[in-house]
């Protein structure tokens, strides 16, 4: 059995770890825990709870529709403290939806970045290390939902169906969610480095 497992390990499709750099174009937060939309701020203060007072702040959160394996409302670890979006992917989504623009704050973004190709495909465990010392650990991609689509639709009252169109057109373009590994302050204009871990495809034997 051991020899068989060794052979399987040798056949894994492995991508070595690497680094790639980007830039912070803007930072945003909600004005209260009840808000979904965010607004630009000069700097984003981050703690181990994420953004204090923010809708997604806290060490834990309640499970919802994204976690059908738990009863709704189950208290669980909060791996969704921060929403990270890409200027390139927002522009691509706007183009696919045939709208003039799509702003990060409309859909609850906290950190808007540029320079990382296919940001939403950055894998879990990636560490985003910011110039000022903050480190965000990526949990995974953020699935687009109708709730965000409704927020977009409010800016285009002459268009019908944008609430449902957004989940279709923004698939794998909705950015990332993550949690704070090292707290501190992030401001627009900072550079950061994405430390992408070694990757492999785990397949059923």
């Amino acid at each position: 059995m051991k020899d068989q497992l060794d052979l399987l390990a040798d056949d894994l499709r492995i991508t070595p770890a690497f680094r790639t750099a980007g830039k912070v174009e803007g930072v945003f937060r909600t004005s209260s825990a009840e808000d979904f939309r965010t607004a630009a701020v000069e700097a984003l203060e981050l703690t181990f709870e994420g953004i204090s007072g923010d809708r997604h702040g806290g060490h834990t959160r309640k499970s919802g529709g994204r976690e059908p394996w738990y009863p709704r409302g189950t208290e669980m670890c909060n791996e969704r403290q921060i929403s990270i979006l890409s200027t390139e992917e927002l522009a691509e989504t706007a183009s696919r939806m045939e709208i003039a623009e799509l702003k990060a704050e409309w859909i609850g973004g906290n950190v808007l970045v540029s320079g990382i190709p296919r940001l939403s495909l950055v894998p879990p465990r990636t560490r985003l290390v910011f110039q000022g010392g903050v480190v965000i650990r990526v949990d995974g991609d953020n699935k687009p939902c109708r709730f965000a689509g409704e927020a977009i639709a409010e800016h285009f009252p002459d268009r019908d169906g944008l609430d449902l169109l957004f989940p279709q057109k923004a698939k794998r373009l909705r950015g990332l969610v993550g949690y704070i590994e090292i707290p501190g302050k992030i401001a627009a204009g900072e550079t950061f480095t994405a430390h992408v871990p070694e990757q492999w495809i785990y397949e059923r034997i």
Side-chain angles (χ1 to χ4, degrees):
M1 174 62 73
K2 184 176 183 301
D3 291 341
Q4 182 183 6
L5 291 175
D6 287 342
L7 287 172
L8 288 169
D10 290 340
D11 289 338
L12 285 175
R13 290 172 282 169
I14 295 176
T15 299
F18 66 95
R19 301 177 185 181
T20 184
K23 180 183 177 183
V24 178
E25 299 294 343
V27 290
F28 313 85
R29 60 161 297 152
T30 59
S31 58
S32 73
E34 288 72 40
D35 292 335
F36 169 72
R37 298 162 187 78
T38 52
V41 291
E42 186 174 329
L44 204 55
E45 296 279 356
L46 300 170
T47 72
F48 287 118
E49 293 186 275
I51 305 169
S52 179
D54 185 80
R55 178 185 181 90
H56 296 291
H59 293 295
T60 63
R61 66 180 181 89
K62 302 293 186 181
S63 64
R66 297 175 186 273
E67 297 84 30
W69 43 88
Y70 300 136
R72 187 177 289 266
T74 300
E75 188 172 16
M76 57 180 288
C77 175
N78 185 10
E79 81 292 5
R80 299 176 58 84
Q81 294 175 338
I82 300 294
S83 169
I84 306 148
L85 299 171
S86 154
T87 57
E88 295 90 347
E89 290 183 337
L90 288 177
E92 173 65 20
T93 302
S95 176
R96 291 184 180 188
M97 295 179 68
E98 299 181 337
I99 57 177
E101 61 179 345
L102 174 52
K103 293 186 177 182
E105 51 265 49
W106 295 353
I107 55 175
N110 299 124
V111 182
L112 178 64
V113 304
S114 64
I116 303 292
R118 297 174 295 177
L119 177 77
S120 295
L121 300 184
V122 165
R125 294 177 50 237
T126 294
R127 292 164 48 244
L128 306 180
V129 181
F130 292 82
Q131 185 178 355
V134 169
V135 179
I136 297 175
R137 178 67 71 94
V138 172
D139 178 73
D141 67 313
N142 196 4
K143 300 294 190 295
C145 65
R146 184 176 182 178
F147 186 59
E150 290 172 352
I152 297 168
E154 291 180 8
H155 297 273
F156 302 95
D158 58 326
R159 286 282 305 277
D160 293 328
L162 289 180
D163 58 333
L164 295 175
L165 187 63
F166 176 69
Q168 298 172 27
K169 301 300 184 182
K171 189 175 182 180
R172 300 190 181 93
L173 293 171
R174 177 66 171 86
L176 304 168
V177 290
Y179 56 92
I180 305 306
E181 189 164 84
I182 297 180
K185 184 185 294 186
I186 297 177
E190 278 191 47
T191 58
F192 71 98
T193 302
H195 295 249
V196 181
E198 181 182 74
Q199 301 166 67
W200 53 87
I201 301 298
Y202 179 76
E203 299 176 307
R204 182 180 300 176
I205 298 175

